[in-house]
Amino acid sequence: MNSLQVQPVARKITGIRWLPPRAGNAYTDTDLYFVSGSSAKHKELVLWTTANPDFQQTNDDNDNVDAETSSPLATLVAKVKHDGDVHDIAAPASDIVATASSFGTISIYNIGHTDSGDNSLSLREAVTAHKFANGEPAVATSLSVQPTNSADAEIASCGEDGRIAYAPISRLDALQRHEVDSTVITGVCWPMPAQLAIATRAGQVKLFDRRAPAEVQAVFVDPSNTYEFECIAAHPSQSFRLATGTDTGAVLLWDIRNPKKPTMEAFNVHESNVWSVGFHSSDAAKIVSCSEDASLAVTQWVSDSDRQSRGVRHLSGFFNTLSVNCFDVCPFTRTSIIIAGSDSGNLLMEKTAASDFAIY
């Protein structure tokens, strides 16, 4: 099992997301930014910066190792209180983040950057997206940003009330809500700009047309097992592939090219609930997942004789013994960087040079 770098931050981290480059820049910056969200005692959003490993000096490997060991993984640059526990974070732009709350609200925060290096987080707008029939708030469990180049992309959420909700990021007051399931919806994603997919606690994957959400396009289940799905993710370029994480520790890979006869393959990756799953941003032949079992895992689901065989690489930290709740893979660097957060109050990180990025 490979080791993760660990930084104690005294927060139960339940959401984390890399920020895109600032307008006009690719990630040629020497610093990268990400946002974490926490729950329990510290309900807040925190903006962090970390050194871009693509710009680290490589003349003296030993010096690099010593520097990485002695310096913190990330530096806190701004924080703001959050209304309720943070359940998910989306970052549609370098100066905007959205959050899903235990109070059922979807919130938009502005991120301020100045030439002098000062940074800030401030609440711009919030709307109640999820509530039960009696009016009590329902946890907003997941967020997903529409994969489009439109300047006004939509953000979708799902919740414990069995509803999905979506609105343009710039106009949350135009939020549309639709009841689509009688059980808890644990994850939502956009396989295509006009299509939404959800995962439910009842072990179902459902597809909806964004333009007609009252009608279910398809429902997928595994008849051979009784799973509870905890999360879902769409392949970045193959809209017919989905990944779901289960309460048993399995990661399921779906091929839904034929909605009437989908195929599914199960990978027994973890020992307990899989809280988050996603295709690796620089190599979608790998699926990244995190779990209640205190580990991250990278699963190679495509066999490539020229590179490597299928398998699973587990990542854990000696000082991290509790659930890993969330992760994100940086899509803006040549180096593979996975950042994660845990119930142990730790930030976790793994950096892998592109030439060394392999399962074994």
Side-chain angles (χ1 to χ4, degrees), residues 231-253:
C231 50
I232 190 170
H235 191 286
S237 60
Q238 298 176 1
S239 60
F240 58 86
R241 294 196 191 279
L242 300 171
T244 54
T246 76
D247 63 322
T248 66
V251 171
L252 310 186
L253 179 66

Side-chain angles (χ1 to χ4, degrees), residues 293-310:
D293 67 6
S295 76
L296 282 158
V298 182
T299 302
Q300 174 82 25
W301 60 272
V302 175
S303 179
D304 187 338
S305 59
D306 293 332
R307 296 189 305 167
Q308 55 193 316
S309 59
R310 298 170 67 160

Side-chain angles (χ1 to χ4, degrees), residues 264-293:
M264 187 276 294
E265 185 172 9
F267 297 87
N268 294 316
V269 178
H270 295 282
E271 297 177 356
S272 188
N273 301 61
V274 178
W275 296 130
S276 185
V277 67
F279 292 88
H280 196 286
S281 57
S282 61
D283 185 356
K286 296 178 175 68
I287 297 174
V288 185
S289 55
C290 66
S291 170
E292 181 79 21
D293 67 6

Side-chain angles (χ1 to χ4, degrees), residues 47 127 141 273 323:
L47 177 65
V127 63
T141 54
N273 301 61
S323 173

Side-chain angles (χ1 to χ4, degrees), residues 200-223:
T200 76
R201 191 61 56 77
Q204 293 183 331
V205 172
K206 292 185 176 182
L207 297 182
F208 301 89
D209 188 319
R210 150 70 182 82
R211 297 157 294 189
E215 301 177 11
V216 179
Q217 287 184 316
V219 179
F220 310 122
V221 296
D222 179 6

Side-chain angles (χ1 to χ4, degrees), residues 6 59 119 224 313 355:
V6 178
N59 294 331
N119 299 277
S224 63
R313 180 166 60 95
S355 59

